[in-house]
Amino acid sequence: MDKPQAEAVAQALLEPHRIAMEEARRKRTADALRVRRRRRTTWHIVIGSALGSALAVLANAHLGTGLSWGGIVGALLGWIVGRWRSRSDPG
């Protein structure tokens, strides 16, 4: 077997491994992006819940209601910000 044939055989053996490695890297990148977006939205929910609770106490309303509505508004805001920022995220 001469050198070009050996190179062709080696390339044929290594090509599926390279493709699988590239696919795994792409999947890890997409998963990391998804986790980053979820964490960003979660922080909006936490902050919204805290603000809703504070407003409920100030308005003399039920604490649970303020917590819930603040969380809902925070989730909506987090989702909107996430969609807006997704244009600038790589991947």
Coordinates of all heavy atoms in Angstrom, one line a residue:
M1 N 0.9 -1.2 0.0 CA 0.0 0.0 0.0 C 0.9 1.2 0.0 O 1.8 1.4 0.8 CB -0.9 0.0 1.3 CG -1.8 1.1 1.3 SD -2.9 1.2 2.8 CE -3.8 -0.3 2.7
D2 N 0.6 2.1 -0.9 CA 1.5 3.3 -1.0 C 0.9 4.4 -0.1 O -0.2 4.3 0.4 CB 1.6 3.8 -2.5 CG 0.3 4.0 -3.2 OD1 -0.7 3.8 -2.5 OD2 0.3 4.5 -4.3
K3 N 1.6 5.5 -0.1 CA 1.2 6.6 0.9 C -0.2 7.2 0.6 O -1.0 7.4 1.5 CB 2.3 7.7 0.8 CG 2.1 8.7 1.9 CD 3.2 9.7 2.0 CE 3.0 10.7 3.1 NZ 4.1 11.5 3.4
P4 N -0.5 7.5 -0.7 CA -1.8 8.1 -1.0 C -3.0 7.1 -0.6 O -4.0 7.6 -0.1 CB -1.8 8.4 -2.5 CG -0.4 8.5 -2.8 CD 0.3 7.6 -1.9
Q5 N -2.8 5.9 -0.7 CA -3.8 4.9 -0.4 C -3.9 4.8 1.2 O -5.1 4.8 1.7 CB -3.5 3.5 -0.9 CG -3.7 3.4 -2.4 CD -3.3 2.0 -2.9 OE1 -2.4 1.4 -2.3 NE2 -3.9 1.6 -4.0
A6 N -2.8 4.9 1.9 CA -2.8 4.9 3.3 C -3.5 6.1 3.9 O -4.3 6.1 4.8 CB -1.4 4.7 3.9
E7 N -3.2 7.3 3.2 CA -3.9 8.5 3.6 C -5.4 8.4 3.4 O -6.2 8.9 4.2 CB -3.3 9.7 2.8 CG -1.9 10.0 3.1 CD -1.7 10.9 4.2 OE1 -2.6 11.7 4.5 OE2 -0.6 10.9 4.8
A8 N -5.8 7.8 2.3 CA -7.3 7.7 2.0 C -7.9 6.8 3.0 O -9.1 7.1 3.5 CB -7.4 7.2 0.6
V9 N -7.3 5.7 3.4 CA -7.9 4.8 4.3 C -8.0 5.5 5.7 O -9.0 5.4 6.4 CB -7.0 3.5 4.4 CG1 -7.4 2.6 5.6 CG2 -7.1 2.7 3.1
A10 N -6.9 6.1 6.1 CA -6.9 6.8 7.4 C -8.0 7.9 7.4 O -8.7 8.1 8.4 CB -5.6 7.5 7.7
Q11 N -8.1 8.6 6.3 CA -9.2 9.7 6.2 C -10.6 9.0 6.3 O -11.5 9.6 7.0 CB -9.0 10.5 4.9 CG -9.9 11.7 4.8 CD -9.6 12.7 5.9 OE1 -8.5 12.8 6.4 NE2 -10.5 13.5 6.2
A12 N -10.8 7.9 5.6 CA -12.1 7.2 5.7 C -12.4 6.7 7.1 O -13.6 6.7 7.5 CB -12.1 6.1 4.7
L13 N -11.4 6.3 7.8 CA -11.6 5.8 9.2 C -11.9 7.0 10.2 O -12.7 6.8 11.1 CB -10.4 5.0 9.7 CG -10.3 3.6 9.0 CD1 -8.9 3.0 9.4 CD2 -11.4 2.7 9.3
L14 N -11.2 8.1 10.0 CA -11.3 9.2 10.9 C -12.5 10.2 10.6 O -12.9 10.9 11.5 CB -10.0 10.0 10.9 CG -8.8 9.3 11.5 CD1 -7.6 10.2 11.4 CD2 -9.0 8.9 12.9
E15 N -13.0 10.2 9.4 CA -14.1 11.1 9.0 C -15.3 11.0 9.9 O -15.9 12.0 10.4 CB -14.4 10.9 7.5 CG -15.4 11.9 7.0 CD -14.8 13.4 7.0 OE1 -13.6 13.5 7.0 OE2 -15.6 14.3 7.0
P16 N -15.9 9.8 10.1 CA -17.1 9.7 10.9 C -16.8 10.2 12.4 O -17.7 10.8 13.0 CB -17.4 8.2 11.0 CG -16.8 7.6 9.7 CD -15.5 8.5 9.5
H17 N -15.7 10.0 12.9 CA -15.3 10.4 14.3 C -15.3 12.0 14.3 O -15.8 12.6 15.2 CB -14.0 9.9 14.7 CG -13.6 10.3 16.0 ND1 -14.2 9.9 17.2 CD2 -12.6 11.1 16.4 CE1 -13.6 10.5 18.2 NE2 -12.6 11.2 17.8
R18 N -14.7 12.6 13.3 CA -14.7 14.0 13.2 C -16.1 14.6 13.1 O -16.4 15.6 13.7 CB -13.8 14.5 12.0 CG -13.6 16.0 11.9 CD -12.9 16.4 10.6 NE -13.7 16.1 9.5 CZ -14.8 16.9 9.1 NH1 -15.2 17.9 9.8 NH2 -15.4 16.6 8.0
I19 N -16.9 14.0 12.3 CA -18.3 14.5 12.1 C -19.1 14.3 13.4 O -19.8 15.3 13.8 CB -19.0 13.7 11.0 CG1 -18.4 14.1 9.6 CG2 -20.5 14.0 11.0 CD1 -18.9 13.2 8.5
A20 N -18.9 13.2 14.1 CA -19.5 13.0 15.4 C -19.0 14.1 16.5 O -19.8 14.6 17.3 CB -19.3 11.6 15.9
M21 N -17.8 14.3 16.5 CA -17.2 15.3 17.4 C -17.8 16.7 17.1 O -18.1 17.5 18.0 CB -15.7 15.3 17.3 CG -15.0 14.1 17.8 SD -15.1 13.9 19.6 CE -13.9 15.0 20.1
E22 N -17.9 17.1 15.9 CA -18.4 18.4 15.5 C -19.9 18.5 15.9 O -20.3 19.5 16.4 CB -18.3 18.6 14.0 CG -18.8 19.9 13.5 CD -18.0 21.1 14.0 OE1 -16.8 20.9 14.4 OE2 -18.6 22.2 14.1
E23 N -20.7 17.4 15.7 CA -22.1 17.4 16.1 C -22.2 17.5 17.6 O -23.1 18.3 18.1 CB -22.7 16.1 15.6 CG -24.2 16.1 15.9 CD -25.0 17.2 15.2 OE1 -24.6 17.6 14.1 OE2 -26.0 17.6 15.8
A24 N -21.4 16.9 18.4 CA -21.4 16.9 19.8 C -21.0 18.4 20.3 O -21.6 18.9 21.2 CB -20.4 15.9 20.4
R25 N -20.1 19.0 19.6 CA -19.7 20.4 20.0 C -20.8 21.3 19.7 O -21.2 22.2 20.5 CB -18.5 20.8 19.2 CG -17.9 22.2 19.6 CD -17.0 22.8 18.6 NE -17.6 23.0 17.3 CZ -18.4 24.0 17.0 NH1 -18.7 24.9 17.9 NH2 -18.9 24.1 15.8
R26 N -21.5 21.1 18.6 CA -22.6 22.0 18.2 C -23.8 21.8 19.2 O -24.4 22.8 19.6 CB -23.1 21.6 16.8 CG -23.4 22.8 15.9 CD -23.8 22.5 14.5 NE -22.7 21.8 13.8 CZ -22.8 20.7 13.1 NH1 -23.9 20.0 13.1 NH2 -21.8 20.2 12.5
K27 N -24.0 20.6 19.7 CA -25.1 20.3 20.6 C -24.7 20.9 22.0 O -25.6 21.5 22.6 CB -25.3 18.8 20.8 CG -26.4 18.4 21.6 CD -26.6 16.9 21.6 CE -27.8 16.6 22.5 NZ -28.1 15.1 22.5
R28 N -23.5 20.8 22.4 CA -23.1 21.4 23.7 C -23.2 23.0 23.6 O -23.6 23.6 24.6 CB -21.6 21.1 24.0 CG -21.4 19.7 24.6 CD -20.0 19.5 25.2 NE -19.0 19.9 24.3 CZ -18.4 19.1 23.4 NH1 -18.8 17.8 23.3 NH2 -17.4 19.5 22.6
T29 N -22.9 23.6 22.5 CA -23.0 25.0 22.4 C -24.5 25.4 22.4 O -24.8 26.4 23.1 CB -22.4 25.5 21.0 OG1 -21.0 25.1 21.0 CG2 -22.5 27.0 20.9
A30 N -25.4 24.7 21.8 CA -26.8 25.0 21.8 C -27.3 24.8 23.2 O -28.2 25.6 23.7 CB -27.5 24.1 20.8
D31 N -26.9 23.8 23.9 CA -27.4 23.5 25.3 C -26.9 24.7 26.2 O -27.7 25.1 27.1 CB -26.9 22.2 25.8 CG -27.6 21.0 25.2 OD1 -28.7 21.2 24.6 OD2 -27.1 19.9 25.3
A32 N -25.7 25.1 26.1 CA -25.1 26.2 26.9 C -25.9 27.5 26.7 O -26.2 28.2 27.6 CB -23.7 26.4 26.6
L33 N -26.3 27.7 25.4 CA -27.0 28.9 25.1 C -28.4 28.9 25.7 O -28.9 29.8 26.3 CB -27.1 29.1 23.6 CG -27.9 30.3 23.1 CD1 -27.3 31.6 23.5 CD2 -28.0 30.2 21.5
R34 N -29.1 27.7 25.6 CA -30.4 27.5 26.2 C -30.4 27.7 27.7 O -31.2 28.3 28.3 CB -30.9 26.1 25.9 CG -32.3 25.8 26.1 CD -32.8 24.5 25.6 NE -32.4 24.2 24.2 CZ -31.6 23.3 23.8 NH1 -31.0 22.5 24.7 NH2 -31.3 23.1 22.5
V35 N -29.3 27.2 28.4 CA -29.2 27.3 29.8 C -29.0 28.8 30.2 O -29.6 29.3 31.2 CB -28.1 26.4 30.4 CG1 -27.7 26.8 31.8 CG2 -28.4 25.0 30.3
R36 N -28.2 29.5 29.4 CA -27.9 30.9 29.7 C -29.2 31.7 29.6 O -29.5 32.6 30.4 CB -26.9 31.4 28.7 CG -26.4 32.8 29.1 CD -25.2 33.3 28.4 NE -25.3 33.3 26.9 CZ -24.6 32.6 26.1 NH1 -23.6 31.9 26.5 NH2 -24.8 32.7 24.8
R37 N -30.0 31.4 28.6 CA -31.3 32.1 28.4 C -32.3 31.8 29.5 O -33.0 32.7 30.0 CB -32.0 31.7 27.1 CG -31.3 32.3 25.9 CD -32.0 31.8 24.6 NE -31.3 32.4 23.4 CZ -31.4 31.9 22.2 NH1 -32.1 30.8 22.0 NH2 -30.7 32.4 21.2
R38 N -32.3 30.5 30.0 CA -33.2 30.2 31.1 C -32.8 30.9 32.4 O -33.6 31.3 33.2 CB -33.2 28.7 31.3 CG -34.0 27.9 30.2 CD -34.0 26.5 30.4 NE -34.7 25.8 29.4 CZ -34.7 24.5 29.2 NH1 -34.0 23.7 30.0 NH2 -35.4 24.0 28.2
R39 N -31.5 30.9 32.6 CA -31.0 31.6 33.8 C -31.3 33.1 33.8 O -31.7 33.7 34.8 CB -29.5 31.4 34.0 CG -29.1 30.1 34.4 CD -27.7 29.9 34.6 NE -27.3 28.6 35.0 CZ -26.2 28.0 34.9 NH1 -25.2 28.7 34.4 NH2 -26.0 26.8 35.3
R40 N -31.2 33.7 32.6 CA -31.5 35.1 32.5 C -33.0 35.3 32.8 O -33.4 36.3 33.6 CB -31.2 35.6 31.1 CG -31.2 37.1 30.9 CD -30.8 37.4 29.5 NE -29.5 37.0 29.1 CZ -29.2 36.5 27.9 NH1 -30.1 36.5 26.9 NH2 -28.0 36.1 27.6
T41 N -33.9 34.5 32.3 CA -35.3 34.6 32.5 C -35.6 34.3 34.0 O -36.5 35.0 34.6 CB -36.1 33.6 31.6 OG1 -35.8 33.9 30.3 CG2 -37.6 33.7 31.9
T42 N -34.9 33.4 34.6 CA -35.2 33.1 36.0 C -34.8 34.3 36.9 O -35.6 34.6 37.8 CB -34.3 31.9 36.4 OG1 -34.7 30.8 35.6 CG2 -34.5 31.5 37.9
W43 N -33.8 35.0 36.6 CA -33.4 36.2 37.3 C -34.5 37.3 37.2 O -34.8 38.0 38.2 CB -32.1 36.7 36.9 CG -31.0 36.1 37.7 CD1 -30.0 35.2 37.2 CD2 -30.7 36.2 39.1 NE1 -29.2 34.8 38.2 CE2 -29.6 35.3 39.4 CE3 -31.3 36.9 40.1 CZ2 -29.1 35.2 40.6 CZ3 -30.7 36.7 41.4 CH2 -29.6 35.9 41.6
H44 N -35.1 37.4 36.0 CA -36.2 38.3 35.8 C -37.4 37.9 36.7 O -38.0 38.8 37.3 CB -36.6 38.4 34.4 CG -35.7 39.3 33.6 ND1 -34.6 38.7 32.9 CD2 -35.7 40.6 33.3 CE1 -34.0 39.7 32.2 NE2 -34.6 40.8 32.5
I45 N -37.7 36.6 36.8 CA -38.8 36.2 37.6 C -38.5 36.5 39.1 O -39.4 36.9 39.8 CB -39.0 34.7 37.4 CG1 -39.5 34.4 36.0 CG2 -40.0 34.1 38.4 CD1 -39.5 33.0 35.6
V46 N -37.3 36.2 39.6 CA -37.0 36.4 41.0 C -37.1 37.9 41.3 O -37.7 38.3 42.3 CB -35.5 35.9 41.3 CG1 -35.1 36.4 42.6 CG2 -35.5 34.4 41.2
I47 N -36.5 38.8 40.5 CA -36.6 40.2 40.7 C -38.1 40.7 40.6 O -38.5 41.5 41.4 CB -35.7 41.0 39.7 CG1 -34.2 40.7 40.0 CG2 -36.0 42.5 39.8 CD1 -33.3 41.1 39.0
G48 N -38.8 40.2 39.6 CA -40.2 40.6 39.5 C -41.0 40.2 40.7 O -41.9 40.9 41.2
S49 N -40.8 39.0 41.2 CA -41.5 38.5 42.4 C -41.2 39.3 43.6 O -42.0 39.7 44.4 CB -41.1 37.0 42.7 OG -41.5 36.2 41.7
A50 N -39.9 39.7 43.8 CA -39.5 40.6 44.9 C -40.2 41.9 44.8 O -40.7 42.5 45.8 CB -38.0 40.7 45.0
L51 N -40.2 42.5 43.6 CA -40.9 43.8 43.4 C -42.4 43.7 43.6 O -43.0 44.6 44.2 CB -40.5 44.4 42.1 CG -39.1 44.8 41.8 CD1 -38.9 45.3 40.4 CD2 -38.8 46.0 42.8
G52 N -43.0 42.6 43.1 CA -44.4 42.4 43.3 C -44.8 42.3 44.8 O -45.8 42.8 45.3
S53 N -43.9 41.6 45.5 CA -44.1 41.4 47.0 C -44.0 42.7 47.7 O -44.9 43.1 48.6 CB -43.1 40.4 47.6 OG -43.3 39.2 47.0
A54 N -43.0 43.5 47.3 CA -42.9 44.8 48.0 C -44.0 45.7 47.7 O -44.5 46.4 48.5 CB -41.6 45.5 47.5
L55 N -44.5 45.7 46.4 CA -45.7 46.5 46.1 C -46.9 46.1 46.8 O -47.8 46.9 47.2 CB -45.9 46.5 44.6 CG -44.9 47.3 43.8 CD1 -45.1 47.2 42.3 CD2 -44.9 48.8 44.1
A56 N -47.1 44.8 47.0 CA -48.2 44.2 47.7 C -48.2 44.7 49.1 O -49.3 45.0 49.7 CB -48.3 42.7 47.6
V57 N -47.1 44.7 49.7 CA -47.0 45.2 51.1 C -47.3 46.6 51.2 O -48.0 47.1 52.1 CB -45.6 44.9 51.7 CG1 -45.3 45.6 53.0 CG2 -45.4 43.4 51.9
L58 N -46.8 47.4 50.3 CA -47.0 48.9 50.3 C -48.5 49.2 50.0 O -49.0 50.2 50.5 CB -46.1 49.6 49.3 CG -44.6 49.6 49.6 CD1 -43.9 50.2 48.5 CD2 -44.4 50.4 50.9
A59 N -49.1 48.4 49.1 CA -50.5 48.6 48.8 C -51.5 47.9 49.7 O -52.7 47.9 49.5 CB -50.8 48.1 47.3
N60 N -51.0 47.3 50.7 CA -51.8 46.6 51.7 C -52.6 45.5 51.1 O -53.8 45.3 51.4 CB -52.7 47.5 52.5 CG -53.1 47.0 53.8 OD1 -52.5 46.0 54.3 ND2 -54.1 47.6 54.5
A61 N -52.0 44.7 50.1 CA -52.7 43.6 49.4 C -52.1 42.3 49.9 O -51.2 42.3 50.7 CB -52.5 43.8 47.9
H62 N -52.6 41.3 49.4 CA -52.1 39.9 49.8 C -50.7 39.7 49.2 O -50.4 40.0 48.1 CB -53.0 38.8 49.2 CG -54.3 38.8 49.9 ND1 -54.5 38.2 51.1 CD2 -55.6 39.3 49.5 CE1 -55.8 38.3 51.5 NE2 -56.4 39.0 50.5
L63 N -49.8 39.2 50.1 CA -48.4 39.0 49.7 C -48.3 38.0 48.6 O -47.5 38.2 47.6 CB -47.6 38.6 50.9 CG -46.1 38.5 50.7 CD1 -45.5 39.9 50.4 CD2 -45.5 37.9 52.0
G64 N -49.1 36.9 48.7 CA -49.0 35.9 47.6 C -49.5 36.4 46.3 O -48.9 36.0 45.2
T65 N -50.4 37.3 46.3 CA -50.9 37.8 45.0 C -49.8 38.7 44.4 O -49.6 38.6 43.2 CB -52.2 38.7 45.2 OG1 -53.2 37.9 45.9 CG2 -52.7 39.2 43.9
G66 N -49.2 39.5 45.2 CA -48.1 40.4 44.7 C -46.9 39.5 44.2 O -46.3 39.8 43.1
L67 N -46.6 38.5 44.9 CA -45.5 37.6 44.5 C -45.9 36.9 43.2 O -45.0 36.9 42.3 CB -45.3 36.5 45.6 CG -44.2 35.5 45.4 CD1 -42.9 36.2 45.8 CD2 -44.5 34.3 46.3
S68 N -47.1 36.4 43.1 CA -47.5 35.7 41.8 C -47.5 36.7 40.6 O -46.9 36.4 39.6 CB -48.9 35.1 42.0 OG -48.9 34.2 43.0
W69 N -48.1 37.8 40.8 CA -48.2 38.7 39.6 C -46.8 39.3 39.3 O -46.5 39.5 38.1 CB -49.2 39.9 39.9 CG -50.6 39.4 39.7 CD1 -51.5 39.2 40.6 CD2 -51.2 39.1 38.4 NE1 -52.7 38.7 40.0 CE2 -52.5 38.7 38.6 CE3 -50.7 39.1 37.1 CZ2 -53.4 38.2 37.6 CZ3 -51.6 38.7 36.1 CH2 -52.9 38.3 36.3
G70 N -46.0 39.6 40.3 CA -44.7 40.0 40.0 C -43.8 39.0 39.3 O -43.1 39.3 38.4
G71 N -44.0 37.7 39.7 CA -43.3 36.6 39.0 C -43.8 36.5 37.5 O -43.0 36.3 36.6
I72 N -45.1 36.6 37.3 CA -45.6 36.6 35.9 C -45.1 37.7 35.1 O -44.7 37.5 33.9 CB -47.2 36.5 36.0 CG1 -47.7 35.2 36.6 CG2 -47.8 36.8 34.6 CD1 -49.2 35.2 36.9
V73 N -45.1 38.9 35.6 CA -44.6 40.0 34.9 C -43.1 39.9 34.6 O -42.6 40.2 33.5 CB -44.9 41.4 35.6 CG1 -44.2 42.5 35.0 CG2 -46.4 41.6 35.6
G74 N -42.4 39.4 35.6 CA -41.0 39.2 35.5 C -40.7 38.1 34.4 O -39.7 38.2 33.6
A75 N -41.5 37.0 34.4 CA -41.3 36.0 33.4 C -41.6 36.5 32.0 O -40.8 36.2 31.0 CB -42.3 34.8 33.6
L76 N -42.6 37.3 31.8 CA -42.9 37.9 30.5 C -41.8 38.9 30.1 O -41.3 38.8 28.9 CB -44.2 38.7 30.6 CG -44.7 39.4 29.3 CD1 -44.9 38.3 28.2 CD2 -46.0 40.1 29.6
L77 N -41.3 39.7 31.0 CA -40.2 40.6 30.7 C -38.9 39.8 30.4 O -38.2 40.1 29.4 CB -40.0 41.5 31.9 CG -38.8 42.6 31.7 CD1 -39.2 43.5 30.5 CD2 -38.6 43.3 32.9
G78 N -38.7 38.8 31.1 CA -37.5 37.9 30.8 C -37.6 37.2 29.5 O -36.6 37.1 28.8
W79 N -38.8 36.8 29.1 CA -39.0 36.2 27.8 C -38.7 37.2 26.7 O -38.1 36.9 25.7 CB -40.4 35.6 27.8 CG -40.6 34.8 26.5 CD1 -40.2 33.6 26.1 CD2 -41.3 35.4 25.3 NE1 -40.6 33.3 24.9 CE2 -41.3 34.4 24.3 CE3 -41.9 36.6 25.0 CZ2 -41.9 34.5 23.1 CZ3 -42.5 36.7 23.8 CH2 -42.5 35.7 22.9
I80 N -39.3 38.4 26.9 CA -39.1 39.4 25.8 C -37.7 39.8 25.7 O -37.1 39.9 24.6 CB -40.0 40.6 26.2 CG1 -41.5 40.3 26.0 CG2 -39.6 41.8 25.3 CD1 -42.4 41.4 26.5
V81 N -37.0 40.0 26.8 CA -35.6 40.4 26.8 C -34.8 39.2 26.2 O -33.9 39.5 25.4 CB -35.1 40.8 28.2 CG1 -33.6 40.8 28.2 CG2 -35.7 42.0 28.7
G82 N -35.1 38.0 26.5 CA -34.4 36.9 26.0 C -34.5 36.8 24.5 O -33.6 36.5 23.7
R83 N -35.7 37.0 24.0 CA -35.9 37.0 22.5 C -35.2 38.2 21.8 O -34.7 38.0 20.7 CB -37.4 37.1 22.2 CG -38.2 35.9 22.6 CD -37.7 34.7 21.8 NE -38.2 33.5 22.4 CZ -37.7 32.3 22.2 NH1 -36.7 32.1 21.3 NH2 -38.1 31.3 22.8
W84 N -35.2 39.3 22.5 CA -34.6 40.5 21.9 C -33.1 40.3 21.9 O -32.4 40.6 20.9 CB -34.9 41.7 22.7 CG -34.3 43.0 22.3 CD1 -34.5 43.6 21.1 CD2 -33.3 43.7 23.0 NE1 -33.7 44.7 21.0 CE2 -33.0 44.8 22.1 CE3 -32.7 43.6 24.2 CZ2 -32.0 45.8 22.5 CZ3 -31.8 44.5 24.6 CH2 -31.4 45.6 23.7
R85 N -32.5 39.7 22.9 CA -31.1 39.5 23.0 C -30.6 38.3 22.2 O -29.4 38.1 21.9 CB -30.6 39.4 24.4 CG -30.7 40.7 25.2 CD -30.0 40.6 26.5 NE -28.6 40.2 26.3 CZ -27.7 40.3 27.3 NH1 -28.1 40.7 28.4 NH2 -26.5 40.0 27.1
S86 N -31.5 37.4 21.8 CA -31.1 36.2 21.1 C -30.6 36.5 19.7 O -29.8 35.8 19.1 CB -32.3 35.3 21.0 OG -33.3 35.8 20.1
R87 N -30.9 37.7 19.2 CA -30.3 38.1 17.9 C -28.8 38.4 18.0 O -28.1 38.2 17.1 CB -31.0 39.4 17.4 CG -32.4 39.2 17.0 CD -33.0 40.4 16.5 NE -33.9 40.9 17.5 CZ -34.3 42.2 17.6 NH1 -33.9 43.1 16.7 NH2 -35.1 42.6 18.5
S88 N -28.4 38.7 19.2 CA -26.9 39.0 19.4 C -26.2 37.9 20.0 O -24.9 37.9 20.0 CB -26.8 40.2 20.3 OG -27.2 39.9 21.6
D89 N -26.9 36.8 20.4 CA -26.2 35.6 21.0 C -25.6 34.8 19.8 O -26.3 34.6 18.8 CB -27.1 34.8 21.8 CG -27.4 35.3 23.1 OD1 -26.6 36.1 23.6 OD2 -28.4 35.0 23.7
P90 N -24.4 34.3 20.0 CA -23.8 33.4 19.0 C -24.6 32.0 19.0 O -25.0 31.6 20.0 CB -22.4 33.2 19.4 CG -22.4 33.5 20.9 CD -23.5 34.5 21.1
G91 N -24.7 31.4 17.9 CA -25.3 30.1 17.8 C -26.6 30.2 17.2 O -27.5 29.8 17.0

